[in-house]
Amino acid sequence: MSYSNINLIVIGDRNWPGTPIYLEYLLRNGYQVKKILLCDFYESGSFRNKLEKAVHTVSPSLYKRAFSPCLEIYNPLLQELYSAFQSFFDFEVNLNLQEVNYHKYSDCIEKYKFWNFKDPNLLKILIKNKESNFLYISGGIVPKYIFEQGIRLIHVHPGYIPYTRGSDGLLWSLRIRGKLGYSCFFMNEHIDGGDLLYRHELELDDFSKYRPLISEHYEIFYRALLMGYDPHLRAKTLINTLQLNGGVLNRDKVLDKGNDEGREFFRMHPKLIKRTLLDYFK
Amino acid sequence: MSSLMKSLIIDYISRNFSIGKKTVKLNDKDLYTEDFLRGLNFSGNLSEKEFNMFEFLIKKIEVTKKLHKHYDMNTLKPVTVAHVPANVCAVFMCYCMLFYLSTQDYKFLNTFLKIKDGVLFNQNFGMNLELRIMCEEFVLHVL
């Protein structure tokens, strides 16, 4: 298969399955990215989660002795659901992310450790490569000064912009519009603002056989959706965007969002998460 | 059940907050939180301006976990560092319940749940027993 090189640098979180999932879709659709910045973002997650990750990195055996293991790779139900939810798609990415071979996705891979997007070392790297577009996958809040430097970050949000902006987009989309929505855009300093490249809405797959798990295990169910289902749909949205634009993403091709600013939604309360899963995943 | 629930909430607000008794003229420059809430009517039918201002306050609470007394609507920032008193936090939560019942807008329900569970508002606004019971009844009713 021949690949077309695209002017895209992936800022990939090494601990998030979305990174290999995006890259696999790009590869399978004939796109080779210019570079992968493979990053460890220290700040993501709670303090407990960070501590566990740190201990696990140093010594998995110590981690197993010291903690009641709750990192994703030690939760059997999460592992099974993560795998099951990926069965809706053409391929599955193993949860053991440290074993992913990134060299098949790009000739240029650089590994970094950053605190978050405010890390000055990250800014230096972005400025150095600013003639390229960057794919933002995760890593927390992006400070305004990054955009002021003319750095172009592309992001796929699980919501039909502008109507469902903000956190927990997958569930808010279902709750507010009755279907899933995904949008690809150039980020700016506003929450899910910026120039829109592509958006679409789609029906949810048939989750009926997993529904009995929701009442007791809704947190794990949702986590598995975010890790094993949502990243596939985000990556497909990016592919659609690239295909529509002949592999070239620039601001000449933005869509008109209209005057409606839509609404911004915030992190969903656990009780509402459970209710929403029960209402729509059937 | 919804209308009974609404009546309970309205009754609670009326007894604890002299609401609707003051005509508040909204302007585009300032938002005085307490006055704004006092000026809202109980029907749940908000004007577009009121709706936008209420959403603005929801955003402020969700992001900062605080509700200030006075906001500048041009900069969208608080004018003073002073927070609203505890009874205003309680009334704001009651309005979230009321507007959810009127509009079925889950954004109101979401903010209500977070305030009730202490996720929002750094200051403990000390819900009294009557309010706690009403909130739990509301949750049982809507979820």
Side-chain angles (χ1 to χ4, degrees):
Chain A
M1 185 174 182
S2 64
Y3 296 101
S4 61
N5 294 312
I6 52 173
N7 187 23
L8 186 70
I9 296 177
V10 174
I11 308 172
D13 184 341
R14 222 156 62 93
N15 298 303
W16 185 244
T19 302
I21 290 173
Y22 266 112
L23 291 166
E24 188 67 32
Y25 271 95
L26 286 162
L27 190 74
R28 284 170 181 245
N29 286 278
Y31 297 112
Q32 188 156 45
V33 297
K34 191 171 174 183
K35 193 184 283 188
I36 301 170
L37 306 178
L38 211 48
C39 309
D40 277 315
F41 288 106
Y42 289 131
E43 204 196 50
S44 60
S46 63
F47 176 75
R48 161 104 193 184
N49 195 255
K50 276 178 252 176
L51 179 67
E52 290 194 24
K53 274 184 194 168
V55 175
H56 186 264
T57 307
V58 175
S59 165
S61 60
L62 174 65
Y63 169 76
K64 282 187 208 167
R65 286 201 304 275
F67 296 96
S68 163
C70 63
L71 283 182
E72 285 90 358
I73 55 170
Y74 295 112
N75 185 319
L77 177 59
L78 180 62
Q79 278 192 3
E80 285 186 64
L81 283 177
Y82 170 77
S83 178
F85 293 169
Q86 290 194 83
S87 66
F88 291 113
F89 306 98
D90 294 338
F91 67 90
E92 182 182 332
V93 165
N94 190 289
L95 199 48
N96 201 344
L97 298 172
Q98 307 306 319
E99 290 177 1
V100 175
N101 172 21
Y102 286 98
H103 291 283
K104 66 175 177 172
Y105 301 123
S106 177
D107 296 331
C108 183
I109 295 169
E110 296 174 6
K111 292 182 182 174
Y112 296 102
K113 293 181 195 298
F114 297 120
W115 187 246
N116 54 23
F117 261 80
K118 289 177 186 160
D119 195 316
N121 293 324
L122 175 56
L123 179 62
K124 278 183 206 159
I125 291 160
L126 297 180
I127 289 173
K128 199 173 126 193
N129 295 282
K130 71 189 276 190
E131 77 286 355
S132 298
N133 292 320
F134 295 90
L135 177 66
Y136 171 93
I137 297 177
S138 66
I141 294 167
V142 181
K144 193 177 170 184
Y145 57 73
I146 286 191
F147 304 112
E148 288 168 351
Q149 294 286 340
I151 291 158
R152 299 185 305 276
L153 291 173
I154 289 168
H155 179 52
V156 179
H157 165 71
Y160 194 72
I161 283 177
Y163 305 111
T164 44
R165 298 182 288 112
S167 305
D168 289 323
L170 186 145
L171 294 185
W172 279 117
S173 292
L174 291 168
R175 192 38 97 192
I176 300 300
R177 295 179 67 85
K179 52 179 86 168
L180 297 171
Y182 283 84
S183 307
C184 183
F185 58 96
F186 282 107
M187 295 170 78
N188 68 6
E189 70 271 26
H190 302 295
I191 304 287
D192 300 320
D195 293 330
L196 183 65
L197 289 162
Y198 177 74
R199 63 182 173 180
H200 62 159
E201 290 192 297
L202 50 157
E203 299 297 332
L204 193 62
D205 285 294
D206 179 7
F207 280 84
S208 54
K209 71 174 174 182
Y210 307 110
R211 183 180 160 77
L213 292 166
I214 295 174
S215 289
E216 283 292 312
H217 305 287
Y218 72 93
E219 284 167 318
I220 293 174
F221 191 97
Y222 184 39
R223 185 79 183 147
L225 278 174
L226 293 180
M227 293 170 66
Y229 185 74
D230 169 73
H232 282 270
L233 296 176
R234 291 190 196 224
K236 283 184 161 196
T237 304
L238 177 67
I239 298 300
N240 287 359
T241 312
L242 283 164
Q243 288 173 342
L244 269 175
N245 292 288
V248 181
L249 302 180
N250 61 46
R251 284 202 160 90
D252 297 339
K253 297 172 178 175
V254 297
L255 302 177
D256 182 13
K257 281 189 284 191
N259 294 325
D260 191 343
E261 288 182 9
R263 298 180 80 193
E264 182 182 343
F265 293 88
F266 303 96
R267 192 157 289 282
M268 208 180 245
H269 186 280
K271 284 191 176 119
L272 197 50
I273 290 177
K274 184 176 175 182
R275 185 70 260 160
T276 305
L277 291 172
L278 285 167
D279 287 348
Y280 290 93
F281 288 75
K282 42 190 176 187
Chain B
M1 182 62 187
S2 276
S3 56
L4 178 62
M5 198 73 237
K6 264 188 192 176
S7 307
L8 280 171
I9 298 167
I10 291 168
D11 180 55
Y12 180 87
I13 300 174
S14 310
R15 281 187 287 108
N16 291 279
F17 199 61
S18 53
I19 209 136
K21 291 174 185 168
K22 185 173 179 180
T23 309
V24 178
K25 202 165 183 292
L26 299 178
N27 67 55
D28 295 327
K29 219 176 119 216
D30 296 290
L31 172 58
Y32 293 93
T33 307
E34 201 167 334
D35 284 354
F36 167 69
L37 292 174
R38 278 186 209 286
L40 292 176
N41 70 50
F42 293 140
S43 69
N45 299 323
L46 298 172
S47 69
E48 193 183 337
K49 197 169 198 171
E50 288 172 328
F51 183 87
N52 289 340
M53 286 190 165
F54 200 80
E55 278 232 334
F56 168 78
L57 291 177
I58 283 182
K59 180 171 180 171
K60 286 292 160 191
I61 293 172
E62 292 271 1
V63 176
T64 66
K65 298 184 168 55
K66 290 171 194 149
L67 204 48
H68 286 86
K69 283 187 171 178
H70 180 195
Y71 293 95
D72 182 325
M73 295 308 284
N74 291 322
T75 62
L76 305 179
K77 295 212 159 86
V79 176
T80 62
V81 290
H83 301 157
V84 294
N87 70 321
V88 179
C89 299
V91 164
F92 187 85
M93 184 176 75
C94 289
Y95 266 123
C96 287
M97 287 192 269
L98 199 58
F99 293 151
Y100 173 73
L101 290 172
S102 303
T103 62
Q104 299 297 301
D105 187 330
Y106 282 88
K107 195 165 175 176
F108 297 135
L109 176 60
N110 193 46
T111 303
F112 157 75
L113 288 168
K114 290 191 202 171
I115 297 172
K116 179 183 87 67
D117 288 355
V119 178
L120 303 179
F121 287 128
N122 285 337
Q123 68 269 46
N124 181 359
F125 70 95
M127 282 201 273
N128 62 33
L129 186 63
E130 183 190 3
L131 182 57
R132 277 187 195 282
I133 292 169
M134 190 170 74
C135 288
E136 294 308 328
E137 276 182 9
F138 174 78
V139 171
L140 286 174
H141 172 59
V142 298
L143 284 176

